[in-house]
Amino acid sequence: MIEIRWHGRGGQGAKTAALLLADVAFSTGMYVQGFPEYGPERMGAPITAYNRLDDKPIRVHSNIYFPDIVVLVDESLAESVDVTAGLKSNGSVIVNTTQRPEKVREMFADCESAVYAIDARDISLRCIGRNLPNTPLLAVVVRTAGIMEEKAFLDNMEESFAHKFSAKPEVVAGNMNAIREAWRGAILL
Amino acid sequence: MSKRDRLSGNEAVAAAIRQINPDVVAAFPITPSTEIPQYISSFKADGLIDTEFITVESEHSAMSACIGASAAGVRAMTATSSAGMALMYELLYVAASDRLPIVMAAVNRALSGPININADHSDSMGARDSGWIQIYSENAQEAYDNMLMAHRIAEHPDVMLPVMICQDGFITSHAVQNIVTEDDAFAKAFIGEYRPEKYLLNPQESLGVGPYSVSVYYMEIKRQQFEAMNSARRVIADVSAEFTARTGRAYAMFESYRMEGAELAVLLMSSSAGTGKVAVDALRERGVKAGLVKLRVFRPFPAAELAGAFPGVKALGIMDKSDGFSGCGGPLGAEVRAALYGKADGIRTIDYIYGLGGRDVRVEDFYEIFDELARMAGGAEAPDCRYHGVRE
């Protein structure tokens, strides 16, 4: 089983990202869970969302305390939340960051796990025209978790975007460029 | 043809309601069940159902509208949670005593105070004496399946009682998970048409619903409710067996999980049963004779069957996701102990109050509970009841 914990702020779409990832994994035939942890619902407040992905039915219904992957949608959370709590030593942290690589490595100096940095904000601004970090982050998570090969993932996403944006097909290309760039763009620190 | 899908608990229940296509839905929004009437409203706008969807100004009115519709002779449904259900309490008794087969999608949430939007069973446990049949679901699949079975149970001529299908708020209602849905033709054929024997809008036979009852009649009405609830045992068993035969998904009054040779066991309802099964599997690997009973039907209460469900068990943990504030445990604890008394004496029991207000229930919680049960089986002292997973 792969367990993933998303840390974001209310309004940034960490929950949506977890649901999107569940969809992608589901389409490969996996058993999935995607769920948010609801606290006080305020824009900007720290929120957590979770994924479990497995090749057999998933029966556990608790939050995730020992994740394989932690995704930091908002790097400023690292100052106030122990985002790597319980992270497996052979696990990975994926950080959406605008900082230089050595600065990010410093933030996770005590972390034994692999740390990946990606500027999802920059990618989404350039490719989509808005700050929608979920789409690029999804590509990095799918690759890091080994859920799908690149081509299968791109084909899957193209179909999903075509369906989702059937009323405005012109945005499909930008979204596809964002995930293509993100797939190859994460830096292992 | 069944279909592999991924849905949240609320989406799953809404999918079942679309297939049921009830005549009337009356609902008022309350977290975490709000999405259910939202989906119903969309289905209606999209022409997928021809339900009369009544947006009311309170849950008291929602249940009142359901009572009126059901008495008139049609299928009526609602969805609610927590304080919304509490505002219905008066009408829940009216629905049951008028023998109206209303079906409710209940999404369990804590009651105030302190105000809290997360799961526990305080809301439906407050309605446990209202005369409604109560069926609890472990996950989205069970919430969907139980909803497809609800009308067959409620509308059976020997039952004619309202049914609530319960699932845990957020833990189930807002978690996307794998599910198998049945096709519309199967669902519609299984549910069938509703043809009430007696109904208010029948011009051939006049009928009074809900009149004042003087003392010389009141008790006879209650005696008939008692009889109907007892008949529901057989009807639930029959409908569940038919559903199981047609879908391959097993349903009964309760599920015994790895109870063969079990010496330590827990009994609980809804989502945490899944987490408990993971713990039981791990404990069995280590040679601990652990087992689990998941109660599906709380009303009617399967006392006689439960008395025989724990052969060889030395210590049993009964897990209550609500506190009845009796000062000696929650409602499940009291009823399970009453069921065992004189029939399965010699089993040491402890009642755990757990998971209140969405307090997370982990696999490790079950390890701690089974450790305590093992000590009890070995003769150690233990309280009759304690809170588990609380900071103190």
Side-chain angles (χ1 to χ4, degrees):
Chain A
M1 184 178 342
I2 304 168
E3 295 186 297
I4 300 166
R5 193 171 65 207
W6 300 76
H7 292 280
R9 293 186 182 277
Q12 286 177 335
K15 176 197 168 185
T16 308
L19 298 186
L20 277 174
L21 179 62
D23 264 4
V24 172
F26 173 84
S27 71
T28 70
M30 293 183 95
Y31 288 90
V32 301
Q33 282 182 351
F35 58 100
E37 182 179 1
Y38 279 86
E41 291 165 78
R42 308 185 305 271
M43 295 283 281
I47 73 129
T48 316
Y50 303 94
N51 284 115
R52 285 193 179 89
L53 314 171
D54 205 349
D55 52 12
K56 50 186 188 297
I58 304 167
R59 295 171 301 177
V60 65
H61 294 291
S62 67
N63 295 338
I64 292 168
Y65 298 91
F66 305 102
D68 299 281
I69 297 175
V70 164
V71 190
L72 203 47
V73 182
D74 185 323
E75 62 184 324
S76 73
L77 281 168
E79 294 163 18
S80 53
V81 178
D82 185 4
V83 292
T84 56
L87 177 64
K88 289 178 185 158
S89 56
N90 60 349
S92 310
V93 193
I94 297 165
V95 192
N96 173 23
T97 181
T98 55
Q99 312 259 21
R100 284 177 293 112
E102 50 278 22
K103 190 86 180 161
V104 180
R105 186 67 251 190
E106 223 170 81
M107 276 165 64
F108 295 96
D110 301 334
C111 181
E112 295 170 23
S113 321
V115 180
Y116 293 89
I118 178 103
D119 191 345
R121 180 173 183 274
D122 176 60
I123 292 174
S124 75
L125 280 175
R126 280 189 289 104
C127 299
I128 309 172
R130 288 168 62 197
N131 182 16
L132 299 168
N134 288 340
T135 310
L137 280 172
L138 181 67
V140 182
V141 175
V142 168
R143 183 176 184 179
T144 308
I147 296 164
M148 280 175 130
E149 293 298 324
E150 182 176 8
K151 182 171 183 330
F153 175 63
L154 292 175
D155 290 349
N156 178 293
M157 290 308 289
E158 186 145 34
E159 196 182 311
S160 145
F161 286 141
H163 178 72
K164 187 177 167 193
F165 300 120
S166 56
K168 37 180 179 174
E170 67 280 6
V171 306
V172 172
N175 277 278
M176 288 306 296
N177 287 340
I179 59 168
R180 234 178 254 123
E181 190 171 322
W183 185 275
R184 291 158 189 277
I187 302 164
L188 175 61
L189 302 177
Chain B
M1 274 286 287
S2 53
K3 181 185 162 211
R4 178 182 173 270
D5 206 342
R6 74 300 196 193
L7 299 173
S8 70
N10 278 347
E11 288 172 333
V13 160
I17 295 174
R18 184 189 59 72
Q19 294 178 317
I20 292 162
N21 190 14
D23 299 293
V24 170
V25 170
F28 187 84
I30 182 165
T31 303
S33 59
T34 302
E35 290 175 333
I36 296 171
Q38 279 180 325
Y39 288 123
I40 293 167
S41 179
S42 301
F43 295 153
K44 182 167 168 61
D46 294 343
L48 299 174
I49 53 173
D50 43 30
T51 302
E52 188 72 34
F53 180 61
I54 310 175
T55 54
V56 286
E57 88 295 349
S58 76
E59 288 84 355
H60 191 280
S61 297
M63 186 46 61
S64 297
C66 285
I67 288 170
S70 184
V74 301
R75 275 191 178 133
M77 299 187 73
T78 190
T80 197
S81 299
S82 185
M85 192 188 294
L87 191 55
M88 288 181 180
Y89 283 162
E90 177 193 2
L91 287 310
L92 296 181
Y93 285 74
V94 174
S97 58
D98 283 347
R99 310 290 299 280
L100 301 172
I102 298 162
V103 174
M104 176 201 293
V107 182
N108 285 120
R109 164 185 158 182
L111 285 170
S112 296
I115 191 166
N116 174 290
I117 60 169
N118 295 100
D120 72 32
H121 298 163
S122 304
D123 49 6
S124 54
M125 281 299 150
R128 71 184 188 274
D129 298 339
S130 66
W132 282 58
I133 290 168
Q134 292 193 352
I135 301 178
Y136 290 79
S137 317
E138 178 182 322
N139 49 36
Q141 182 73 62
E142 293 192 3
Y144 172 81
D145 290 345
N146 284 330
M147 191 53 87
L148 288 186
M149 287 181 252
H151 287 88
R152 286 280 303 277
I153 297 163
E155 294 165 0
H156 191 285
D158 296 340
V159 178
M160 290 300 283
L161 287 173
V163 173
M164 64 176 76
I165 303 299
C166 304
Q167 60 170 310
D168 281 346
F170 290 110
I171 300 167
T172 308
S173 69
H174 284 61
V176 169
Q177 51 204 286
N178 292 57
I179 180 174
V180 173
T181 55
E182 299 302 325
D183 67 29
D184 289 1
F186 167 86
K188 284 181 195 311
F190 184 83
I191 297 158
E193 292 282 319
Y194 176 42
R195 302 197 189 286
E197 265 177 59
K198 295 180 186 296
Y199 56 100
L200 211 49
L201 295 186
N202 180 2
Q204 312 304 323
E205 186 185 13
S206 54
L207 175 74
V209 177
Y212 180 76
S213 177
V214 291
S215 303
V216 291
Y217 289 112
Y218 183 86
M219 204 159 158
E220 282 68 28
I221 301 292
K222 291 296 149 189
R223 175 70 177 83
Q224 289 175 32
Q225 262 182 266
F226 168 84
E227 202 58 42
M229 194 55 98
N230 269 325
S231 299
R233 298 176 198 283
R234 175 178 47 78
V235 173
I236 293 169
D238 290 349
V239 171
S240 302
E242 186 188 330
F243 191 86
T244 299
R246 310 242 344 236
T247 64
R249 297 192 291 276
Y251 289 97
M253 298 298 270
F254 55 85
E255 176 190 354
S256 293
Y257 185 78
R258 304 198 74 165
M259 286 299 292
E260 313 78 27
E263 293 181 357
L264 314 174
V266 292
L267 179 147
L268 73 171
M269 304 196 298
S270 295
S271 64
S272 294
T275 309
K277 288 174 186 172
V278 174
V280 165
D281 284 353
L283 289 166
R284 285 279 182 167
E285 288 276 309
R286 294 182 216 158
V288 179
K289 290 176 177 165
L292 178 151
V293 169
K294 179 184 74 184
L295 188 61
R296 170 181 174 237
V297 181
F298 179 68
R299 285 288 180 271
F301 192 73
E305 298 93 321
L306 280 175
F310 303 98
V313 169
K314 295 174 179 165
L316 168 65
I318 306 158
M319 299 178 65
D320 266 294
K321 224 172 221 185
S322 69
D323 188 350
F325 295 108
S326 65
C328 51
L332 264 184
E335 299 208 16
V336 172
R337 281 169 166 154
L340 299 181
Y341 185 76
K343 299 208 171 64
D345 292 334
I347 302 175
R348 295 197 61 192
T349 59
I350 177 168
D351 189 9
Y352 295 104
I353 308 292
Y354 80 113
L356 302 186
R359 175 59 49 87
D360 200 27
V361 184
R362 308 154 304 152
V363 174
E364 290 74 16
D365 289 301
F366 286 91
Y367 294 155
E368 290 164 23
I369 282 170
F370 276 105
D371 275 349
E372 182 164 38
L373 293 174
R375 291 194 296 275
M376 286 169 62
E381 289 287 311
D384 287 337
C385 167
R386 73 170 178 83
Y387 271 58
H388 179 82
V390 66
R391 294 191 302 275
E392 49 191 355

